[in-house]
Amino acid sequence: MKMAQIHIQGNGLEAKDGKSLRGTTESLGGQEGESPGSESEPNGFPETQADKYGFIGGSQQSTEDLAEDIPPEVLRQREAKWLEMLNSWDKWMSKKHKKVKVRCQKGIPPSLRGRAWLYLSGGKVKREQNVGRFQELDSEYGEPKWVDVIEKDLHRQFPFHEMFAARGGHGQQDLFRVLKAYTLYRPEEGYCQAQAPIAAVLLMHMPAEDAFWSLVQICEKYLPGYYSAGLEAIQLDGEILFSLLKRVSPVAHRHLKKHKIDPVLYMTEWFMCAFSRTLPWASVLRIWDMFFCEGVKVIFRVGLVLLKFMLGSQEKLKACQGQYETMERLRAVEPCYMQEGFLVKETLELPVSERDIEKEHLAQLRRWKETRGELHCKSPPRMHGARAIMAAEPPSRQDLQQKPTIVVEPAQIITGSEDDERKKEEKKTSKVDKKKSKKDSSLDTANQDQAPLDHQALPSLSQALLKDTSLQASNQSLSSTEHDTYL
């Protein structure tokens, strides 16, 4: 098939309309516009209620018909199961990986999503093996050409989300830190605009350091070569997608071929941003849960499902008589096809495996060499999901150990019988103290009285804490929480 009419310019990929996807200051999709936030208005929308995902408005604001509600009791059960898995991650991944995969497909509990993504991606291991590295990169100034472009891109990332609405707010500051650190970590790769939404999604669920290492894993393991100069990897995957479409939906394949609509014209933003700028937020999170567990095949499947249902029948193609109409249809996916339940179900049922993708990858690579010669940027091998990443770089038990930021020591609980004994001891002590007080000096008396006062205060303080703050119920979750601020 004819490759897309694109021109490589400098360090980037330029499409027909002249917009570059590397080092550009223009929006990838052009649909989010300027950030409405300002320093005087903390989140840009002081009087508007944010939805449960943090969106205040805009194209990705959640709606009831696009998101599925999970009963609280089911959510609590899932949280308990995920806490158990995270506490013995190596055992679960080696012996019960299928169970982990099923639980990712059902959806990771929101309270544990950030920590689960960190473990699935291998970012947790990477962080433990590079202690202090992010802080080191964070303290450096960065390459001026990348710093300038990143700063201009910050306000374009999810401007309707409360975390990124304010110019210069904590969300934009952390986003800058993560993206700048990556340009220093991989100076030969630099910055690609499509990395910004990826990093922003990560920051919605975890601290900057964890987001940085998760971004590193996505760029190096899940989508290697996607953000390199020339973007050859994304072009290859576009051809793989188109070839797989022939098997999944021959009607859609014939239509796109007939009108010479090259894959990079419609799938570049889908794949490079992992659908974070395309789907409603409930669907984005479910797709990312599966993506971190199973790898890039999930992205391929989602793309194939959308193409199949938008262009997969003659009736649907009646409104797409030419290239322009077809592209307009692909840019504005119908909400019913993006609905969380529908999309997840169809994605899971689509028969496309890692083997299918790798087989087609080799075929397209041969074709590329025949027509274009050797690749300019040779990417590391792609890892298909969490299990493959762990197998390639086996972690130590220490690397996987959870390190809570808040630890609450269990308060002493005093039973009725123990309380009676304590009172008897206090009475005896009181009598002895009264006798001693007559003989001892006033200084000695003060010193003697200090100990029983502290002894009496501690149990009463413990009981007050238990009564007023219900630490009995929350002690376990607090002590096992790695980043409580983000739960």
Side-chain angles (χ1 to χ4, degrees), residues 260-272:
K260 299 180 180 179
I261 301 175
D262 297 297
V264 291
L265 296 178
Y266 54 82
M267 57 75 67
T268 301
E269 183 175 292
W270 290 358
F271 278 51
M272 292 186 75

Side-chain angles (χ1 to χ4, degrees), residues 109-177:
S111 62
L112 295 170
R113 182 167 269 130
R115 206 186 323 169
W117 286 358
L118 186 67
Y119 273 72
L120 286 164
S121 66
K124 172 70 164 71
V125 176
K126 203 82 171 177
R127 187 189 75 189
E128 297 302 327
Q129 293 176 350
N130 293 271
V131 176
R133 182 75 170 120
F134 174 71
Q135 288 75 15
E136 183 184 309
L137 296 169
D138 191 29
S139 64
E140 296 182 29
Y141 286 106
E143 185 70 29
K145 67 173 182 179
W146 296 129
V147 168
D148 181 58
V149 177
I150 291 170
E151 286 178 339
K152 290 177 181 177
D153 272 352
L154 293 177
H155 72 279
R156 295 185 173 92
Q157 311 313 319
F158 305 107
F160 297 107
H161 192 278
E162 60 184 356
M163 187 172 176
F164 300 102
R167 284 184 178 271
H170 72 92
Q172 291 192 9
Q173 288 179 31
D174 281 352
L175 183 58
F176 174 79
R177 293 170 62 206

Side-chain angles (χ1 to χ4, degrees), residues 134 137-138 176-185 212:
F134 174 71
L137 296 169
D138 191 29
F176 174 79
R177 293 170 62 206
V178 170
L179 295 173
K180 184 206 72 175
Y182 189 83
T183 64
L184 293 168
Y185 184 76
F212 170 74

Side-chain angles (χ1 to χ4, degrees), residues 69-282:
D69 288 326
I70 302 171
E73 59 273 13
V74 175
L75 202 55
R76 297 292 87 80
Q77 291 172 4
R78 291 183 180 178
E79 286 173 340
K81 291 175 181 177
W82 271 95
L83 283 171
E84 180 190 352
M85 290 197 303
L86 290 167
N87 283 326
S88 305
W89 189 249
D90 52 342
K91 293 179 182 178
W92 278 87
M93 289 298 291
S94 60
K95 298 178 181 178
K96 299 181 181 180
H97 177 257
K98 287 185 179 179
K99 196 70 177 176
V100 177
K101 186 167 75 171
V102 169
R103 289 177 179 174
C104 288
Q105 291 171 352
K106 287 181 178 179
I108 300 171
S111 62
L112 295 170
R113 182 167 269 130
R115 206 186 323 169
W117 286 358
L118 186 67
Y119 273 72
L120 286 164
S121 66
K124 172 70 164 71
V125 176
K126 203 82 171 177
R127 187 189 75 189
E128 297 302 327
Q129 293 176 350
N130 293 271
V131 176
R133 182 75 170 120
F134 174 71
Q135 288 75 15
E136 183 184 309
L137 296 169
D138 191 29
S139 64
E140 296 182 29
Y141 286 106
E143 185 70 29
K145 67 173 182 179
W146 296 129
V147 168
D148 181 58
V149 177
I150 291 170
E151 286 178 339
K152 290 177 181 177
D153 272 352
L154 293 177
H155 72 279
R156 295 185 173 92
Q157 311 313 319
F158 305 107
F160 297 107
H161 192 278
E162 60 184 356
M163 187 172 176
F164 300 102
R167 284 184 178 271
H170 72 92
Q172 291 192 9
Q173 288 179 31
D174 281 352
L175 183 58
F176 174 79
R177 293 170 62 206
V178 170
L179 295 173
K180 184 206 72 175
Y182 189 83
T183 64
L184 293 168
Y185 184 76
R186 286 282 177 265
E188 72 282 1
E189 194 169 289
Y191 167 71
C192 175
Q193 191 198 17
Q195 291 172 315
I198 295 286
V201 177
L202 294 170
L203 283 168
M204 291 177 196
H205 297 87
M206 59 185 78
E209 183 178 8
D210 292 354
F212 170 74
W213 290 116
S214 298
L215 176 66
V216 167
Q217 290 298 92
I218 290 173
C219 296
E220 294 184 353
K221 302 293 195 302
Y222 288 85
L223 307 173
Y226 267 37
Y227 311 106
S228 300
L231 307 181
E232 294 169 323
I234 195 71
Q235 295 180 69
L236 270 173
D237 276 3
E239 295 304 317
I240 295 170
L241 177 73
F242 189 71
S243 183
L244 292 171
L245 181 64
K246 186 174 184 180
R247 189 178 73 189
V248 172
S249 178
V251 174
H253 182 271
R254 281 197 301 271
H255 179 79
L256 291 170
K257 188 174 183 179
K258 174 184 175 183
H259 293 287
K260 299 180 180 179
I261 301 175
D262 297 297
V264 291
L265 296 178
Y266 54 82
M267 57 75 67
T268 301
E269 183 175 292
W270 290 358
F271 278 51
M272 292 186 75
C273 301
F275 290 98
S276 62
R277 293 169 58 95
T278 306
L279 302 174
W281 208 247

Side-chain angles (χ1 to χ4, degrees), residues 9 11 92 117 127 161 166 208 242 257 268 324 327 348 363 374 377 406 408 428 457 466 472:
Q9 288 197 351
N11 196 28
W92 278 87
W117 286 358
R127 187 189 75 189
H161 192 278
F242 189 71
K257 188 174 183 179
T268 301
Y324 176 79
M327 285 301 300
L348 290 174
E374 292 291 332
C377 295
I406 298 177
V408 178
K428 290 179 181 179
L466 287 170
Q472 288 165 297

Side-chain angles (χ1 to χ4, degrees), residues 301-368:
R301 286 180 178 180
V302 174
L304 291 167
V305 167
L306 295 180
L307 291 170
K308 173 185 175 183
F309 283 94
M310 286 191 292
L311 305 172
S313 69
Q314 294 300 331
E315 185 178 347
K316 291 171 184 174
L317 293 178
K318 288 179 181 178
C320 304
Q321 296 299 319
Q323 188 182 78
Y324 176 79
E325 293 82 3
T326 303
M327 285 301 300
E328 286 300 301
R329 187 176 184 86
L330 293 176
R331 287 193 186 103
V333 184
E334 293 177 48
C336 61
Y337 301 138
M338 299 190 293
Q339 191 270 337
E340 178 188 351
F342 173 85
L343 189 59
V344 170
K345 178 178 178 293
E346 293 296 330
T347 299
L348 290 174
E349 292 178 356
L350 202 70
V352 173
S353 65
E354 294 102 341
R355 183 177 295 179
D356 296 329
I357 294 170
E358 285 307 312
K359 181 180 177 182
E360 195 57 45
H361 182 266
L362 292 173
Q364 294 300 332
L365 200 56
R366 285 195 298 269
R367 190 173 301 175
W368 180 287

